[in-house]
Amino acid sequence: MMVAIIVLLAGCSNQAMVLNPKGPVGAEQKDLIVISTILCTVILVPVLALTAWIVWRYRDKEGNKASYKPNWAHSTTLEIVWWSIPIIIIVALAVITIRYTHALEPSKPLKSNKPPVTIQVTSLDWKWLFTYPEQGIATVNYLQIPEDTPIKFELTSDAPMNSFWVPQLGGQIYTMSGMKMTLYLQADEIGHYFGTGANFSGAHFADMTFDVNATSQSDFDAFVAKTKKVPTKLTMESYETLAKPGKSEVQYFSSVPDGLFDKIVTKYTNGQSIHSGHGGTESVKETSKPQATDKNAPMNHNDHSQMKMTK
């Protein structure tokens, strides 16, 4: 049973990634999983053991000496035991869950002496677009972040609803058109992490995976500098091409149109208010949808670990 639970928690992978967290959010979620499992086991194990014992003890067998009490109907002691224990456990589980739910509010900034890095996430059919508004660059299906630094993800969708998930860093959050969600995560260690879309979104939803590379601050700065030298720029026209349904290799863009993310968020709202962050709203103005064209199509860069830049 425990093996089956671990497999289920592994996120359909060959590793129990959620049980091997590499960030503060993932660590707290692991604690909640472990505590909840232990509390449920306190009920589950005795019930299963008693069920097996009762079946064996009162089985139909010649010469069975089990006591026979056809008129027995009530025991105050037993009633107190089998009602009080589950109630206590349920109350404890409720208190713990409320505490962790409050602590793990997705839009709650993480405590750190470093300022957060903002990354805007757009789920497309069937790829992920990451824009770095502070650095002025963008990537497709590849995410690089500095270690030990809070990352403020702003998320939306320009396609069917999906779910952004990096199992070792924290739980999922949905991406939806016309909505801007906020999620704070952090990688405490340098390493490569698995990222995926965790919501069914059509024929190639299984291909909506992305690499997360947590590096030192100096390596992150070098990544930004190298990406700025890539000849391919993300324009409104090339974005419309990218947004068309289809799979994509890893891509890099040395520049991003001003306000692209906000235009993606508001393109379906018709001037109405949108959901912003995780519980708030903001007013936005209607923006016109740019015309799609095949000009300036983005270049593919398959090897993101050793990018080959040309001037």
Side-chain angles (χ1 to χ4, degrees):
M1 183 178 297
M2 292 305 297
V3 171
I5 291 174
I6 291 175
V7 171
L8 289 174
L9 294 176
C12 301
S13 173
N14 57 357
Q15 296 179 358
M17 288 182 287
V18 296
L19 300 181
N20 184 27
K22 300 298 182 181
V25 177
E28 288 201 54
Q29 290 176 342
K30 175 190 174 183
D31 291 342
L32 178 58
I33 291 172
V34 172
I35 293 172
S36 300
T37 302
I38 292 174
L39 289 176
C40 291
T41 302
V42 172
I43 296 177
L44 184 63
V45 171
V47 168
L48 293 177
L50 284 172
T51 300
W53 180 80
I54 289 172
V55 171
W56 179 85
R57 181 71 176 83
Y58 295 97
R59 67 192 185 283
D60 186 13
K61 178 182 177 182
E62 184 178 354
N64 192 337
K65 298 182 180 180
S67 59
Y68 178 63
K69 299 179 180 179
N71 297 321
W72 181 88
H74 181 76
S75 171
T76 301
T77 301
L78 290 178
E79 292 285 349
I80 292 174
V81 170
W82 61 48
W83 281 106
S84 60
I85 294 178
I87 289 174
I88 292 172
I89 293 176
I90 290 173
V91 171
L93 187 60
V95 171
I96 292 171
T97 302
I98 291 172
R99 174 185 172 276
Y100 274 92
T101 300
H102 175 72
L104 293 169
E105 160 61 36
S107 62
K108 186 177 180 180
L110 301 177
K111 294 181 179 179
S112 175
N113 56 2
K114 299 180 180 179
V117 174
T118 299
I119 298 178
Q120 296 167 332
V121 182
T122 304
S123 60
L124 302 169
D125 272 339
W126 289 272
K127 59 198 79 85
W128 293 95
L129 172 64
F130 302 102
T131 55
Y132 297 70
E134 297 163 352
Q135 290 76 23
I137 60 174
T139 60
V140 174
N141 291 341
Y142 175 68
L143 182 62
Q144 185 155 334
I145 58 177
E147 67 158 337
D148 198 31
T149 300
I151 308 299
K152 180 184 179 183
F153 290 103
E154 296 178 346
L155 307 100
T156 192
S157 176
D158 198 3
M161 180 175 71
N162 214 302
S163 183
F164 176 85
W165 190 25
V166 185
Q168 288 185 278
L169 301 186
Q172 308 171 40
I173 188 167
Y174 282 103
T175 59
M176 293 167 275
S177 58
M179 302 180 73
K180 181 170 70 174
M181 308 300 289
T182 301
L183 172 67
Y184 280 88
L185 295 177
Q186 178 177 308
D188 289 338
E189 301 178 12
I190 292 176
H192 294 274
Y193 305 112
F194 172 76
T196 184
N199 191 71
F200 181 80
S201 60
H204 298 287
F205 79 98
D207 296 307
M208 289 194 66
T209 60
F210 55 93
D211 292 329
V212 181
N213 189 16
T215 63
S216 64
Q217 183 64 50
S218 60
D219 287 343
F220 176 76
D221 294 337
F223 156 75
V224 173
K226 288 182 179 180
T227 305
K228 284 183 175 293
K229 296 179 182 179
V230 172
T232 308
K233 298 180 179 181
L234 184 63
T235 64
M236 293 304 301
E237 291 78 11
S238 61
Y239 169 75
E240 289 296 325
T241 301
L242 179 68
K244 293 179 180 179
K247 298 187 293 183
S248 175
E249 300 293 337
V250 172
Q251 300 183 45
Y252 304 91
F253 302 96
S254 57
S255 65
V256 181
D258 292 337
L260 172 63
F261 182 79
D262 290 333
K263 290 177 181 178
I264 296 171
V265 174
T266 60
K267 66 187 293 184
Y268 301 105
T269 62
N270 294 323
Q272 300 175 0
S273 62
I274 63 171
H275 182 99
S276 177
H278 196 266
T281 58
E282 63 180 18
S283 297
V284 297
K285 296 180 179 180
E286 181 180 3
T287 58
S288 60
K289 182 179 179 180
Q291 297 298 318
T293 177
D294 291 332
K295 295 180 180 180
N296 300 321
M299 296 174 60
N300 286 340
H301 298 264
N302 296 327
D303 186 2
H304 55 263
S305 61
Q306 298 292 332
M307 291 189 294
K308 298 179 181 179
M309 306 297 182
T310 58
K311 294 184 179 179

